[in-house]
Amino acid sequence: MAYVEFRDVRKVYRMGSVEVRAVDGMNFDIEEGELCVIVGPSGAGKTTVLNMLGGMDSCTSGTITLDGLEVSGLSERDLTKYRRHDIGFVFQFYNLVPNLTALENVELASQICPDSLDAAETLAKVGLADRLDNFPAQLSGGEQQRVAIARALAKNPKLLLCDEPTGALDYQTGKQVLELLQDSCRKAGHTVAIVTHNSAFTQIADRVIRVREGRAQSVETNANPLDAMTVEW
Ligand SMILES: Nc1ncnc2c1ncn2[C@@H]1O[C@H](COP(=O)(O)OP(=O)(O)OP(=O)(O)O)[C@@H](O)[C@H]1O
Ligand SMILES: [Mg+2]
């Protein structure tokens, strides 16, 4: 059994009489410790996939498992525990709490998890040892995204989910964030899934899932992924 399994997963949104098949029979696996890039055009269903995998949205049918746990079969109460303990989430626009410092933002996450990592140490690992007491508004976009990544990693999650994590950043800063995510995978052994519309990112991935119209068009593994800093787009 693979670490992550999507089996014939569907998600239908009903808006009055209109039915939107956001995910329409999706199948893929992700192995533990992999950096997986999920790529596809706008509206392909990428965010819906990530939200279902992260327990933030339910699937209409099919099964989703993580590390042997059937996520798609969990009660609301167990889903809350799953989101808290097993998943780290990184969003395009950081979603930090504005009136908490970098350190407090990370502590907020680490305090709710049993196997959490030290907040200050995790911030040091993402290169922010001297920014612990800064508020989000006192940090650059790239630094805020690093805090968000530290916040997710400090939970020591089974899976780190990133939705367009470089979408709000300039070219060079975006690359540094990709490098950080690649390092957290290669050096710290985290399993990371990155959603993007940018097909250049596929070059850094161990596994590439191409999504179109709610389906996985192809799933490929990459024997020799490039270092994030060497990728051009
Ligand atoms: N809560 C919702 N209610 C109704 N329709 C939705 C909802 N969320 C997503 N959809 C629809 O499902 C489809 C897939 O959306 P999704 O957000 O997963 O795409 P995406 O691949 O992440 O796109 P983007 O690259 O623009 O972020 C779209 O047609 C979208 O309009
Ligand atoms: Mg999206």
Side-chain angles (χ1 to χ4, degrees):
M1 184 177 215
Y3 193 60
V4 173
E5 289 190 358
F6 252 59
R7 290 290 176 270
D8 206 25
V9 174
R10 287 166 211 274
K11 178 69 189 183
V12 181
Y13 291 109
R14 287 198 177 80
M15 314 279 288
S17 59
V18 181
E19 235 183 37
V20 179
R21 294 169 175 275
V23 172
D24 196 17
M26 179 84 71
N27 289 285
F28 63 79
D29 291 348
I30 302 173
E31 295 297 345
E32 190 169 10
E34 281 184 339
L35 175 64
C36 173
V37 166
I38 300 172
V39 67
S42 183
K46 307 183 296 296
T47 296
T48 307
V49 165
L50 226 53
N51 286 345
M52 291 192 291
L53 195 45
M56 295 196 294
D57 204 348
S58 60
C59 55
T60 308
S61 63
T63 52
I64 300 170
T65 54
L66 168 62
D67 196 16
L69 176 74
E70 193 190 327
V71 181
S72 45
L74 293 178
S75 64
E76 273 307 316
R77 188 193 168 87
D78 287 337
L79 266 182
T80 304
K81 218 196 265 173
Y82 170 77
R83 281 192 297 267
R84 270 192 201 160
H85 297 173
D86 295 337
I87 299 295
F89 224 112
V90 174
F91 303 93
Q92 180 173 359
F93 297 107
Y94 331 130
N95 291 14
L96 299 176
V97 183
N99 58 348
L100 296 182
T101 65
L103 183 64
E104 289 165 346
N105 263 281
V106 177
E107 283 173 345
L108 201 61
S110 61
Q111 279 166 1
I112 61 170
C113 288
D115 301 320
S116 62
L117 310 175
D118 182 77
E121 269 175 38
T122 309
L123 277 162
K125 281 200 188 114
V126 302
L128 293 176
D130 53 356
R131 291 286 199 283
L132 303 188
D133 298 324
N134 286 52
F135 292 97
Q138 300 169 325
L139 297 167
S140 71
E143 288 166 343
Q144 288 184 60
Q145 193 61 303
R146 281 170 188 273
V147 175
I149 292 169
R151 177 180 62 183
L153 290 177
K155 294 168 73 180
N156 204 9
K158 287 188 170 174
L159 186 59
L160 180 62
L161 301 175
C162 313
D163 197 349
E164 298 280 4
T166 67
L169 302 174
D170 67 43
Y171 183 73
Q172 208 53 37
T173 312
K175 271 194 185 191
Q176 288 164 0
V177 162
L178 280 187
E179 188 189 29
L180 180 60
L181 292 172
Q182 193 176 41
D183 276 357
S184 77
C185 199
R186 288 190 175 172
K187 295 181 183 161
H190 290 289
T191 309
V192 180
I194 300 176
V195 152
T196 183
H197 63 271
N198 189 341
S199 52
F201 292 9
T202 59
Q203 300 171 78
I204 71 163
D206 299 306
R207 181 178 299 263
V208 178
I209 300 170
R210 290 180 199 277
V211 175
R212 189 170 283 270
E213 292 175 0
R215 289 164 181 263
Q217 218 179 16
S218 66
V219 182
E220 291 156 19
T221 53
N222 200 353
N224 296 302
L226 296 181
D227 285 336
M229 285 318 275
T230 67
V231 172
E232 307 278 342
W233 66 87

